[in-house]
Amino acid sequence: MYAKPSIGLLAVAGAAAMPTATPVFRVARILLQVTGVGFGLYCAGAAVLLLAGCWMRWRDAAAGRRRSTAEGL
C-alpha cells in the first residue's frame, strides 16, 4: 500500500529532473522530425496515387462515352 505512492513520486521526480540538452535527446528529436517528414511524404504520395486513379477512371469513362456515341452514328 505504501509502495505505490512512493514509486509514482519517484517517476515524477525522475521525469522532472531529466536533462533536455543531452546528445541522446537531440538525436531522438532529429529522428522524430525525420519520421514526421516521412509520414508527410507517405500521405502526399497516397493523395497523388488516389488522384491519379480517379483521373484514369474519368478518362476511361469519357473515352467509353465517346466510343459509344461514335458507334451510334
Side-chain angles (χ1 to χ4, degrees), residues 29-70:
R29 182 172 291 216
I30 290 169
L31 288 175
L32 187 61
Q33 290 173 349
V34 167
T35 303
V37 169
F39 182 70
L41 290 174
Y42 170 79
C43 289
V48 166
L49 289 174
L50 179 71
L51 291 174
C54 290
W55 178 75
M56 289 170 61
R57 284 180 186 225
W58 175 80
R59 186 187 60 182
D60 290 344
R65 283 193 301 267
R66 276 182 283 182
R67 201 174 318 122
S68 66
T69 56

Side-chain angles (χ1 to χ4, degrees), residues 1-20:
M1 181 172 163
Y2 294 107
K4 287 183 182 178
S6 63
I7 290 174
L9 291 176
L10 184 62
V12 170
M18 185 177 75
T20 58

